[in-house]
Amino acid sequence: DGGITQSPKYLFRKEGQNVTLSCEQNLNHDAMYWYRQDPGQGLRLIYYSQIVNDFQKGDIAEGYSVSREKKESFPLTVTSAQKNPTAFYLCASSGDRDGIPYEQYFGPGTRLTVT
Amino acid sequence: AQSVTQLDSQVPVFEEAPVELRCNYSSSVSVYLFWYVQYPNQGLQLLLKYLSGSTLVKGINGFEAEFNKSQTSFHLRKPSVHISDTAEYFCAVSDVGNQGGKLIFGQGTELSVKP
């Protein structure tokens, strides 16, 4: 089945440690996204990538880093510089047809808790 | 798109009653519009989308939405809700021609269906 996988589902880390969240898609989509979700704040864009080896900052990129070495993969690293990293993280991907975008498809999410 | 406002943070409703979840947006250009649903601790699933054409859009699970350009609204409706519709619903907007297909999300509406 085609889709997006995120691992792990739950992740616990000590303050001061970097942590990498995995996102893999087999939908052959060019674009991939990372969002952060906090209660009552909707989804906020962290980083996005339209093509391999290229990515752009979203609205809340500080304290995060990404890479896009393969079309299928878009890992997110939450660094120790992120002041409030505890949140639910969602990865998404999208393609387009003749310049009209498909909707974004979402993974199941990773809940990160930092203590 | 510059912003998306979901006018109700919580909507309680009895089973088999109709429901409307309201969404307004602001943008200086033409937009694409989406409604997503999120069940607890899961990713987002697309309910329906408006790209062009008929302003009345039908989606999954019996939901529909109407695009009103003059009022910059895209309200979601269902004539008779079920307990299983209890979830959080997000309205999202993307500018036509927006590079990267970025979405701007509303803050979400929690729909609670009571027996």
Side-chain angles (χ1 to χ4, degrees), chain B residues 98-111:
Chain B
N98 178 2
Q99 289 189 345
K102 289 190 297 178
L103 292 177
I104 296 177
F105 285 87
Q107 294 187 331
T109 298
E110 286 188 34
L111 176 63

Side-chain angles (χ1 to χ4, degrees), chain B residues 30-78:
Chain B
S30 297
V31 295
Y32 301 124
L33 296 152
F34 306 85
W35 274 100
Y36 285 87
V37 60
Q38 183 181 35
Y39 299 100
N41 291 313
Q42 294 186 25
L44 275 67
Q45 179 184 3
L46 182 73
L47 278 177
L48 48 79
K49 61 185 176 185
Y50 171 80
L51 302 182
S52 64
S54 173
T55 58
L56 182 63
V57 180
K58 294 189 182 298
I60 63 171
N61 299 342
F63 284 93
E64 64 180 31
E66 186 156 20
F67 170 49
N68 187 319
K69 187 175 181 179
S70 63
Q71 297 188 4
T72 60
S73 68
F74 191 53
H75 300 333
L76 181 71
R77 302 186 182 99
K78 186 169 182 178

Side-chain angles (χ1 to χ4, degrees), chain A residues 32-68:
Chain A
M32 297 187 74
Y33 312 82
W34 272 107
Y35 294 91
R36 171 182 172 136
Q37 186 177 21
D38 297 283
Q41 295 193 45
L43 278 71
R44 292 182 289 168
L45 183 64
I46 304 172
Y47 269 97
Y48 67 103
S49 168
Q50 295 176 256
I51 198 167
V52 174
N53 292 322
D54 188 41
F55 49 82
Q56 288 78 40
K57 293 181 179 180
D59 301 318
I60 56 165
E62 186 175 351
Y64 299 97
S65 65
V66 293
S67 63
R68 186 84 187 277

